[in-house]
Amino acid sequence: MKIAIIGMGKMGEAIAQGLAKLDQKKEFTIRGTTRSGDNAAAAAQAQVVLLCVKPHQAEKALREMAPKLGKDHLLLSI
């Protein structure tokens, strides 16, 4: 399963670090992590999209991603 974390502030970074720790326990596998400034491209390549931005930034991020999100995407906002 591919996960896109939109917003790498304190919360996004904490989630990414937590997922990396799970990888060390062999419960979760991280393959080919990348950083991108293109929210739409990141969302299009993932099955799960974690929206980790401040509330005033959410609308812009969602508008950027909307054309690439489909019914099979799971969008979670923290």
Side-chain angles (χ1 to χ4, degrees):
M1 171 183 332
K2 289 187 178 184
I3 300 172
I5 301 174
I6 307 300
M8 288 301 288
K10 290 180 182 180
M11 292 301 293
E13 186 69 31
I15 291 169
Q17 288 177 359
L19 292 173
K21 286 180 184 176
L22 285 177
D23 183 44
Q24 293 171 5
K25 296 178 182 176
K26 304 294 184 211
E27 297 172 14
F28 185 85
T29 302
I30 296 177
R31 295 182 187 158
T33 60
T34 60
R35 289 187 177 249
S36 172
D38 186 344
N39 293 336
Q45 296 175 12
Q47 289 91 17
V48 177
V49 179
L50 297 175
L51 186 62
C52 303
V53 298
K54 303 257 184 211
H56 70 276
Q57 299 168 318
E59 183 178 359
K60 180 180 182 231
L62 289 169
R63 285 186 188 277
E64 291 173 357
M65 294 184 295
K68 301 292 184 175
L69 294 176
K71 64 179 182 173
D72 295 329
H73 282 94
L74 175 62
L75 175 64
L76 301 170
S77 175
I78 66 155

